[in-house]
Amino acid sequence: MARAMFEYTKTILKKVSFDSVLFCKELQKAAKRLLPYELEELRVWIQELTKTNPELNQCMIYLNA
Protein backbone atom coordinates (compact mmCIF):
# COMPACT_ATOMS: atom_id res chain seq x y z
CA MET A 1 0.00 0.00 0.00
CA ALA A 2 2.77 2.45 0.89
CA ARG A 3 4.40 1.92 -2.49
CA ALA A 4 1.14 2.85 -4.17
CA MET A 5 1.15 6.13 -2.23
CA PHE A 6 4.68 6.85 -3.43
CA GLU A 7 3.72 6.28 -7.07
CA TYR A 8 0.54 8.32 -6.63
CA THR A 9 2.59 11.18 -5.16
CA LYS A 10 4.95 11.15 -8.13
CA THR A 11 1.98 11.24 -10.51
CA ILE A 12 0.46 14.24 -8.74
CA LEU A 13 3.79 16.07 -8.61
CA LYS A 14 4.30 15.53 -12.34
CA LYS A 15 0.84 16.94 -13.06
CA VAL A 16 1.40 20.10 -11.00
CA SER A 17 5.02 20.69 -12.03
CA PHE A 18 3.89 23.57 -14.27
CA ASP A 19 3.21 25.67 -11.13
CA SER A 20 5.84 25.90 -8.40
CA VAL A 21 3.30 27.01 -5.74
CA LEU A 22 1.09 23.96 -6.32
CA PHE A 23 4.16 21.75 -6.51
CA CYS A 24 5.35 23.02 -3.12
CA LYS A 25 1.92 22.42 -1.54
CA GLU A 26 1.77 18.86 -2.85
CA LEU A 27 5.34 18.23 -1.74
CA GLN A 28 4.44 19.36 1.77
CA LYS A 29 1.58 16.86 1.82
CA ALA A 30 3.87 14.12 0.57
CA ALA A 31 6.44 14.86 3.28
CA LYS A 32 3.76 14.12 5.88
CA ARG A 33 2.48 10.89 4.28
CA LEU A 34 5.52 9.08 2.97
CA LEU A 35 7.97 6.92 4.85
CA PRO A 36 11.55 8.17 5.37
CA TYR A 37 13.08 5.90 2.71
CA GLU A 38 10.38 6.97 0.25
CA LEU A 39 11.19 10.62 0.94
CA GLU A 40 14.79 9.90 0.04
CA GLU A 41 13.69 8.29 -3.23
CA LEU A 42 11.41 11.26 -3.88
CA ARG A 43 14.30 13.66 -3.28
CA VAL A 44 16.35 11.90 -5.98
CA TRP A 45 13.37 11.91 -8.36
CA ILE A 46 12.77 15.64 -7.81
CA GLN A 47 16.44 16.43 -8.39
CA GLU A 48 16.07 14.84 -11.83
CA LEU A 49 12.84 16.76 -12.44
CA THR A 50 14.44 20.07 -11.52
CA LYS A 51 16.97 19.65 -14.30
CA THR A 52 14.18 20.47 -16.75
CA ASN A 53 12.17 22.68 -14.33
CA PRO A 54 14.72 24.59 -12.23
CA GLU A 55 12.04 26.80 -10.66
CA LEU A 56 10.87 23.77 -8.65
CA ASN A 57 14.17 23.55 -6.82
CA GLN A 58 12.94 26.05 -4.23
CA CYS A 59 10.45 23.45 -2.99
CA MET A 60 13.19 21.06 -1.88
CA ILE A 61 13.20 22.84 1.48
CA TYR A 62 10.11 20.83 2.43
CA LEU A 63 12.05 17.59 2.15
CA ASN A 64 14.90 18.88 4.29
CA ALA A 65 12.68 19.80 7.24
Side-chain angles (χ1 to χ4, degrees):
M1 174 73 169
R3 197 71 192 163
M5 185 58 72
F6 176 72
E7 293 300 324
Y8 174 74
T9 299
K10 283 185 1 181
T11 301
I12 295 300
L13 289 173
K14 270 188 227 177
K15 288 183 179 184
V16 299
S17 63
F18 67 92
D19 183 355
S20 62
V21 174
L22 278 174
F23 189 86
C24 288
K25 284 182 183 180
E26 291 299 328
L27 191 55
Q28 280 181 295
K29 291 180 194 177
K32 293 176 186 174
R33 307 191 275 256
L34 296 177
L35 299 171
Y37 73 91
E38 291 174 321
L39 287 175
E40 191 56 41
E41 285 183 54
L42 189 63
R43 181 178 289 117
V44 171
W45 181 81
I46 291 173
Q47 286 173 344
E48 287 298 314
L49 184 64
T50 57
K51 288 180 182 176
T52 57
N53 300 345
E55 69 277 2
L56 300 177
N57 201 34
Q58 66 186 356
C59 301
M60 290 295 284
I61 190 168
Y62 298 113
L63 292 181
N64 297 330

